[in-house]
Structure formats: structure tokens, C-alpha cells
Amino acid sequence: MLQTFTDYWPHILIVLSLILGVPAAIHATMTKEEVRAAIGWVGVIVLSPVLGAVIYAVGGINRIRRKTLNIQREGIIPPASTTSRTTTLRPTRYGGVSVARSPP
């Protein structure tokens, strides 16, 4: 058994990195709102084969936001857009947009 493992450890590592890395890279690409963040996480996952997927699983998935969205879908708390705060977007002098929120 040990001889088989020592003979085939590069192949096992490649298969393991594909099994962990491909779903992690797809998840990062599909769930990140900013393109730079998605590209950064895919780079980490690809450049460090097994460890990159583990790092993404620990630090890259925003569990607090996901939990809040699930609670909102269940109707326990109202979505943020239905609260009494209003958000207005104002154009800036340089072509950007500033965000102003009214107090609750």
C-alpha cells in the first residue's frame, strides 16, 4: 500500500487539486460581486493547488451575508430595501457617484 502511494503521489495530488480547485474556482467566479475579487480568489486557488481551495473555503465565502440573505428569504427579517432609510445617488464632479443615506 505504501509503495503504491509513493509511486502515484503526484497523480493523487493532481486529482485532489482538481476535485477541490474546480468547484472552488467556479464558486468564487459565480458568487463574488467584484470582478477583481473573483480574479484574485481564482488566482489563489489555481496557484496553490490544494491549499488555495482550503483557504477560499475558510476565508473567501461570506457566511454572514449568506445567512442574512437566507433569513430574509424566510421572511424573519425584512430586506434592507424595505426599511425606513432611503438611499440617494448624487453625481460627483468627476463622473462618479456619491451615496447619501437619510437617517431612519
Side-chain angles (χ1 to χ4, degrees):
M1 177 72 180
L2 185 60
Q3 181 63 31
T4 305
F5 180 74
T6 57
D7 290 341
Y8 293 107
W9 71 267
H11 301 91
I12 295 170
L13 185 65
I14 290 171
V15 169
L16 184 64
S17 78
L18 286 174
I19 289 172
L20 294 176
V22 170
I26 291 171
H27 186 270
T29 305
M30 299 299 288
T31 58
K32 296 297 175 187
E33 293 177 4
E34 288 193 30
V35 175
R36 291 178 292 178
I39 291 172
W41 278 114
V42 170
V44 168
I45 293 166
V46 170
L47 293 176
S48 56
V50 176
L51 190 62
V54 173
I55 292 171
Y56 176 73
V58 171
I61 300 171
N62 191 347
R63 290 177 180 83
I64 295 171
R65 179 174 171 254
R66 184 173 302 218
K67 187 174 182 179
T68 304
L69 288 174
N70 287 338
I71 290 172
Q72 286 176 352
R73 286 186 189 125
E74 293 171 2
I76 296 172
I77 60 172
S81 62
T82 61
T83 59
S84 61
R85 271 189 169 179
T86 58
T87 303
T88 56
L89 300 176
R90 298 182 185 145
T92 62
R93 183 169 48 169
Y94 301 107
V97 176
S98 67
V99 178
R101 293 184 181 216
S102 65

